[in-house]
Amino acid sequence: MKEINNMTSIALGRHDVVVGVDTHKDEHVAVALDGLGGRLDELAIAAKPHGYAELLAWADRLGAVVTFGVEGTGSYGSGLARFLRRHGRRVVEVSRPPRKGVRRLSGKSDTIDAEHAAREVLAGKATATPKLADGIVEAIRLTKIARDTAVKAHSQAMITLKATLVTATDDLRSELEPLTDFKLIQACAALDTSGDVADPEVAMRRTLGVLARRWLDLHEEIKDHSRHLKKLTTTAAPELVAAFGIGPDIAAEMLITAGDNNDRIRSDAALAKLCGACPIPAGSGWS
């Protein structure tokens, strides 16, 4: 199988094929180009296994397929990317065209975006190897999603409780506001909520109680996610977690950035660029 190098396209022939795919939740659109940039055909498929098989058979009928350039390999295009890799095909990740740049000049349609993906591959601009997302790092990513959303909801519950308490009666405010956060949560969770909810005082105690119990439930959930995250990151990269200043959360972020197939990152400098830690030249500010 011919491949396209990282700098420019090698001598592809008229019978070579490069396929670009614009991905969406329910449907993907593909455009095929020959090795000289000529447009061959387009195809819309369902974003399901039978659609992926249809796409592969269609591409093979057009010629010798060199590469599939797929948008959104970490989201809507993940299923297609996995399918193509299982069938031994070369897949590269293509960034979606910027709305204020290419899309303004060329217009916006799924077909245009798919052709843009194919031309990015043909020009050698798209060379990124997609993450495999089939190992322990994928488990870390999913666990971190659960933990991060729980942390956000946890903070929001406390903020909402305190904002609600501001409108409580003077007696209730004087009783609760001086308390530390955890004691405030415990006191609100223990409030008497009996009575007619049509009574604003009853509704206030009930609301504070609900928010406090939500905070406590999320507190336990976060601890559970944190235990799993620590175990997973320690298993995946024990030396990273043991480094000074690196905890499970930061380790998880770095591992997610690298992916399960971290050989796709060719150097330390490439990793620094990917995670935003590389030095960026800047002027002194003096004119």
Side-chain angles (χ1 to χ4, degrees):
M1 179 183 293
K2 296 180 182 178
E3 291 191 359
I4 296 175
N5 64 24
N6 293 339
M7 301 300 295
T8 184
S9 59
I10 62 175
L12 299 181
R14 179 69 70 181
H15 298 292
D16 295 314
V17 177
V18 172
V19 178
V21 187
D22 181 42
T23 59
H24 298 277
K25 180 180 179 181
D26 299 315
E27 183 181 76
H28 300 338
V29 176
V31 167
L33 305 178
D34 64 32
L36 302 182
R39 200 171 188 278
L40 296 174
D41 199 3
E42 63 183 69
L43 176 71
I45 60 163
K48 297 181 181 298
H50 71 269
Y52 307 153
E54 180 185 353
L55 171 64
L56 186 56
W58 165 81
D60 284 338
R61 287 195 299 269
L62 296 174
V65 181
V66 177
T67 306
F68 289 85
V70 181
E71 292 185 353
T73 57
S75 54
Y76 291 144
S78 60
L80 175 61
R82 284 195 297 267
F83 178 89
L84 293 172
R85 283 196 298 262
R86 283 199 303 270
H87 286 79
R89 304 310 175 96
R90 181 173 185 262
V91 181
V92 298
E93 183 172 2
V94 181
S95 300
R96 299 189 186 277
R99 291 187 180 277
K100 293 183 179 180
V102 175
R103 287 186 175 183
R104 177 173 292 176
L105 296 174
S106 304
K108 167 69 181 86
S109 77
D110 297 341
T111 305
I112 289 174
D113 285 354
E115 183 173 340
H116 170 268
R119 295 197 182 280
E120 288 289 288
V121 174
L122 193 61
K125 295 180 181 179
T127 60
T129 302
K131 297 176 184 178
L132 291 178
D134 61 358
I136 192 170
V137 175
E138 179 65 4
I140 290 171
R141 184 184 74 86
L142 295 171
T143 302
K144 194 170 188 307
I145 288 173
R147 184 183 181 279
D148 287 351
T149 54
V151 168
K152 184 176 180 180
H154 189 242
S155 298
Q156 188 60 49
M158 178 66 80
I159 292 168
T160 304
L161 186 148
K162 289 184 175 181
T164 303
L165 182 58
V166 170
T167 62
T169 62
D170 291 340
D171 288 343
L172 192 58
R173 286 184 63 187
S174 62
E175 176 188 347
L176 296 176
E177 284 188 334
L179 300 177
T180 61
D181 284 355
F182 194 73
K183 288 185 177 180
L184 171 63
I185 289 293
Q186 290 179 316
C188 288
L191 286 173
D192 179 12
T193 58
S194 61
D196 186 359
V197 75
D199 182 345
E201 291 190 17
V202 174
M204 173 61 72
R205 292 196 300 272
R206 179 180 178 277
T207 299
L208 292 175
V210 167
L211 290 169
R213 288 188 290 276
R214 181 183 302 167
W215 189 95
L216 289 169
D217 288 343
L218 287 166
H219 187 69
E220 292 303 313
E221 181 184 334
I222 291 167
K223 289 198 292 185
D224 184 55
H225 293 319
S226 297
R227 283 194 294 269
H228 286 296
L229 198 62
K230 182 177 181 179
K231 180 179 178 181
L232 288 167
T233 53
T234 301
T235 300
E239 293 182 2
L240 177 62
V241 177
F244 179 76
I246 304 293
D249 197 56
I250 293 176
E253 199 69 63
M254 295 178 70
L255 289 167
I256 292 166
T257 299
D260 281 298
N261 51 326
N262 53 28
D263 56 332
R264 69 194 186 91
I265 301 174
R266 299 178 180 86
S267 65
D268 291 345
L271 177 61
K273 183 69 174 178
L274 185 63
C275 69
C278 60
I280 299 173
S284 64
W286 296 96
S287 57

